[in-house]
Amino acid sequence: MKIVFDHQCFLFTNYGGVSRYYLSLIEELIKMKEDAHVIAPLHQNQQLKLLPKDCVKGYRVNRFLLKPYRISRVVNDLLSPLMISKPNPDIIHETYFLPKTIISSCKARIITIHDMTHEKFPQYFPRNDPTTNNKIKAIKRADHVICVSNNTKHDLCNILNVPSKKISVVYHGTKNFTKPHSKKSFHNNRPFLLHVGGRDLYKNFIQTLKAVAISPELRKTFDIVAFGSGKFSKDEQVTIDQLNLQPASVKQISGNDNVLNDLYCQATALVYPSLHEGFGLPILEAM
């Protein structure tokens, strides 16, 4: 089968659970001898480098060159149909929620819903955020929907009234996180608590800082390491200062899956204060 994945989740993310999900799916499809491709004319995703070169149609560019982002989206939407080598692919797997599909002709259209955060916590997003409306349009044009947990399926059915028969639950798995890749320490010799992925809004990282700060025992014993999601924001840095946490005791680290794997192995515990997740992949990885 000819299976095409679009550019959406790869455009602005270097790494991340969602892009790793699609990467792993494509790797397994290739093992099954299926013809799976990513059409991402312009993207900044590092993980796509792990796929065979002929499986990715597009070019990785510096994040700065993708600004303004709205123009980058338009460029990708226009170029994507031109980069499909075979018309009318068997399956299009849309990787996020566009108001209109970039590829109009296919035999079947699939979409994965990872969570319903925008619908359950609208207070964390701008009033004019188009995500929910675009999600509804993407689901309506899809022939079938994948949910990553029964929790997400339940939310999807109850909030957006999607018929249960249109949905299949396919749980996440993990294979990359087993044993240390290196003896190198990515932190100093003090024990540390590990936070993985997004930190703002419902991800609730600020509460981790406050919890450690109010406990003399935790403050004395543990540092905090945040992996991924970029350098600390101004608000985070202000909070760290206000809580009198030593700069050396709160650290942000970025890197590939090997770095994350070793942090899981070296950490005393994963801290996961998120208010809501469709699945919560770091919990599985840490286990």
Side-chain angles (χ1 to χ4, degrees), residues 67-265:
K67 296 179 179 179
Y69 297 141
R70 187 173 297 177
I71 293 177
S72 298
R73 284 195 182 97
V74 172
V75 170
N76 272 17
D77 292 351
L78 292 173
L79 291 179
S80 292
L82 303 176
M83 299 181 73
I84 297 179
S85 56
K86 177 186 174 184
N88 195 29
D90 296 295
I91 295 174
I92 298 292
H93 196 139
E94 298 185 11
T95 61
Y96 202 61
F97 317 123
L98 284 172
K100 294 181 180 179
T101 179
I102 59 171
I103 302 166
S104 58
S105 178
C106 65
K107 296 178 182 177
R109 192 176 304 276
I110 305 294
I111 191 165
T112 295
I113 306 297
H114 298 272
D115 60 61
M116 296 292 287
T117 306
H118 284 78
E119 293 74 23
K120 297 193 76 170
F121 296 93
Q123 68 270 26
Y124 289 124
F125 302 95
R127 276 189 169 186
N128 60 349
D129 190 301
T131 301
T132 294
N133 286 334
N134 290 346
K135 183 184 290 185
I136 292 170
K137 292 175 182 178
I139 290 170
K140 283 183 176 179
R141 65 175 175 259
D143 295 289
H144 200 72
V145 178
I146 295 172
C147 286
V148 300
S149 68
N150 275 307
N151 181 51
T152 296
K153 178 182 178 180
H154 179 269
D155 288 343
L156 188 59
C157 292
N158 284 276
I159 297 173
L160 297 185
N161 298 314
V162 178
S164 177
K165 63 182 180 181
K166 190 175 181 177
I167 304 170
S168 293
V169 174
V170 182
Y171 295 114
H172 284 315
T174 182
K175 62 180 181 179
N176 295 328
F177 303 96
T178 52
K179 58 184 180 180
H181 287 266
S182 167
K183 293 183 179 180
K184 173 186 175 182
S185 175
F186 292 94
H187 189 57
N188 57 37
N189 292 323
R190 277 170 52 84
F192 66 92
L193 306 174
L194 177 65
H195 180 103
V196 175
R199 299 190 301 269
D200 62 346
L201 305 175
Y202 70 95
K203 293 291 188 178
N204 223 16
F205 176 69
I206 293 293
Q207 294 304 320
T208 298
L209 297 175
K210 291 179 179 179
V212 171
I214 64 175
S215 168
E217 187 64 27
L218 289 177
R219 184 193 284 266
K220 176 183 175 182
T221 307
F222 296 105
D223 290 346
I224 300 170
V225 173
F227 177 84
S229 199
K231 295 180 180 180
F232 290 132
S233 67
K234 283 187 177 180
D235 287 344
E236 289 172 329
Q237 199 59 62
V238 167
T239 301
I240 292 169
D241 294 339
Q242 289 176 342
L243 294 172
N244 293 317
L245 293 170
Q246 296 299 318
S249 69
V250 184
K251 187 175 183 179
Q252 190 278 330
I253 295 176
S254 297
N256 59 24
D257 284 354
N258 289 344
V259 175
L260 176 57
N261 180 91
D262 290 349
L263 287 172
Y264 279 135
C265 293

